[in-house]
Amino acid sequence: MKDEQTIDCLTFEACLPDDSVWSQDGDLMVPGGRAIAAVLIELFKEAGVNVEPAEQQEYYAWLIPVESDGLRLEFYLHDLHPWLLICESQGRWYQLQKKRQKLKVLYERVLTELKERLQSDSRFSDVRAGSRETLL
């Protein structure tokens, strides 16, 4: 589904406390971003997007599943500097190819809406939307 013109990620800075959890041995047990994921879920709800609770993805990210226009998107929030939110769609290759244009429009609509909401929230700054190729 990917092409270099598709907006499929956001980067941003956030001034929320670090909520990472580390073991006594210094291993990361819970990635940072749980509080940010909660804010993103609220922003998705405000935008009228169906969203499920965030799920921890091993030690590296938070998954926020959303559904809009009958399509499922998965947002992965990574504790990097700046923060990284990557949008992906799941499905079989041939199914995604048939929905390619609809997914591209949905990616851009949802991420543009989220970008605008983050920019108007004082807890976030330097919010940028683009493709992985342009932002990473």
Side-chain angles (χ1 to χ4, degrees):
M1 206 306 304
K2 300 286 177 244
D3 78 39
E4 56 212 322
Q5 305 303 322
T6 301
I7 294 173
D8 63 1
C9 65
L10 292 177
T11 61
F12 54 88
E13 297 290 341
C15 65
L16 295 168
D18 181 10
D19 54 6
S20 304
V21 176
W22 299 84
S23 73
Q24 289 182 334
D25 296 330
D27 296 321
L28 182 62
M29 297 172 53
V30 178
R34 182 186 307 217
I36 293 172
V39 171
L40 295 175
I41 287 169
E42 290 306 312
L43 295 177
F44 280 129
K45 287 178 181 177
E46 289 174 11
V49 175
N50 295 324
V51 61
E52 297 174 21
E55 303 170 19
Q56 181 178 334
Q57 297 298 290
E58 296 185 27
Y59 61 89
Y60 63 87
W62 288 94
L63 166 64
I64 305 169
V66 304
E67 190 174 311
S68 186
D69 298 333
L71 299 170
R72 180 182 169 92
L73 301 178
E74 294 181 341
F75 289 87
Y76 292 88
L77 177 63
H78 297 270
D79 185 0
L80 302 173
H81 298 285
W83 287 89
L84 174 63
L85 183 68
I86 297 175
C87 181
E88 295 185 352
S89 50
Q90 298 298 318
R92 296 179 188 223
W93 181 84
Y94 65 88
Q95 292 170 327
L96 295 176
Q97 291 304 311
K98 289 178 17 180
K99 299 175 183 176
R100 184 180 182 112
Q101 187 59 35
K102 190 174 180 182
L103 281 167
K104 180 179 177 181
V105 169
L106 180 60
Y107 273 32
E108 292 182 4
R109 180 180 62 80
V110 171
L111 284 168
T112 300
E113 174 77 21
L114 185 58
K115 177 185 174 194
E116 291 170 2
R117 290 178 183 276
L118 288 173
Q119 287 175 323
S120 66
D121 188 317
S122 63
R123 297 171 289 187
F124 300 93
S125 62
D126 196 24
V127 182
R128 296 177 36 209
S131 69
R132 293 178 209 190
E133 292 80 11
T134 61
L135 291 179
L136 301 179

